[in-house]
Amino acid sequence: MLLHGGWHGGWVWQRLAPLLSAAGHRIHTPTLTGLGDRAPEFHAEVGLQTHVDDILQLVLDLRSNAVTLLGHSYGGSIITLVADQLTERIAALVYLDAVIPTDGIPDWQRFPRERQESMLAGARGLDGLRVPPPDPALWGLVPGTPAHQELQQRLTPHPIKTMMDAPRLSGRWQTVQRKHYLLAAGPPRSRFSDVHSALTKQPGWTTALVAGGHEMMWTHAHELAGSLLPILDAGT
């Protein structure tokens, strides 16, 4: 299951998913409540647990004890919280330039102060409850290119409550046997570089660099598929 990051939707995997499916893998690309084509479902109470519940139910519906969860960016928080509750159902966790949450610490605190101020200002320009999408140039896409323009058109405001809510983790997710961290090689330099560096020394983890910046599934789908297929094949 491929889980998108903030401001995105399941559509962001449209270039990658067919490559993985063609290699024989069953791929699911859900969209979280209030984002993408589910933007009309947004309401003031959409928070972190809303998105966790979205994916918990999908994992249960799969009726499998060998689910691989891949989370991009904010999606890393969701797959971790899901694995913490359904550890026995999860075969592998794959973090794609992603957040790994810490118990009790909201994702909001991970952003630099300038970015926090910018996001708050943007939220005030909407309804105060959602953060407008950033310019994809922040993630290394060149303004005016087709990739930049299409991404900019498809991003949707993100529920701010999901960033402010503190995750609650028991630590059970760490018992998932196969855990992988794939860092965007850039440019620009990934804000998750320190996470990647720390995990290279941790037993039970594999780490690697993947071609492209933060939006590599959009700009470097073939290269990303080449990095993911050995991970997915190892679980079959």
Side-chain angles (χ1 to χ4, degrees):
M1 187 179 296
L2 310 180
L3 189 58
H4 63 83
W7 300 284
H8 293 65
W11 54 265
V12 78
W13 307 107
Q14 67 186 39
R15 300 175 180 181
L16 175 69
L19 304 176
L20 305 180
S21 296
H25 297 283
R26 186 181 176 192
I27 304 298
H28 301 271
T29 58
T31 295
L32 298 169
T33 300
L35 293 161
D37 59 359
R38 300 185 66 188
E41 299 177 34
F42 171 77
H43 56 83
E45 296 306 312
V46 173
L48 188 61
Q49 191 60 47
T50 311
H51 289 167
V52 172
D53 290 343
D54 284 342
I55 306 306
L56 280 172
Q57 189 57 56
L58 289 175
V59 171
L60 290 171
D61 289 346
L62 289 176
R63 300 182 182 277
S64 170
N65 292 332
V67 177
T68 293
L69 294 178
L70 180 150
H72 172 241
S73 198
Y74 164 73
S77 287
I78 307 304
I79 67 169
T80 306
L81 288 157
V82 169
D84 206 56
Q85 295 186 49
L86 290 179
T87 314
E88 69 283 356
R89 298 288 188 100
I90 309 303
L93 292 170
V94 183
Y95 294 85
L96 184 60
D97 216 44
V99 174
I100 297 181
T102 302
D103 181 56
I105 300 179
D107 280 353
W108 182 260
Q109 295 184 19
R110 301 174 186 273
F111 289 102
R113 181 172 296 278
E114 319 83 72
R115 184 87 188 278
Q116 291 177 357
E117 293 172 353
S118 173
M119 289 193 292
L120 285 174
R124 287 193 293 270
L126 290 175
D127 47 21
L129 300 174
R130 292 174 294 171
V131 177
D135 186 327
L138 178 71
W139 301 316
L141 281 81
V142 178
T145 61
H148 176 279
Q149 291 174 341
E150 187 175 359
L151 194 64
Q152 192 168 43
Q153 291 167 1
R154 300 190 71 168
L155 297 172
T156 49
H158 189 92
I160 197 169
K161 189 175 186 299
T162 67
M163 302 176 178
M164 301 294 192
D165 289 346
R168 295 299 173 190
L169 292 160
S170 70
R172 290 182 65 226
W173 71 274
Q174 297 187 58
T175 66
V176 174
Q177 290 192 351
R178 297 169 51 228
K179 298 183 290 294
H180 310 272
Y181 198 98
L182 304 180
L183 183 76
R189 183 179 186 273
S190 173
R191 71 183 181 96
F192 300 111
S193 296
D194 290 346
V195 176
H196 174 263
S197 295
L199 291 176
T200 60
K201 306 167 188 174
Q202 291 290 328
W205 287 84
T206 64
T207 61
L209 293 175
V210 293
H214 188 61
E215 300 292 289
M216 76 287 281
M217 76 291 291
W218 194 249
T219 62
H220 292 73
H222 285 272
E223 293 87 343
L224 178 56
S227 295
L228 286 175
L229 284 173
I231 293 173
L232 299 179
D233 291 343
T236 60

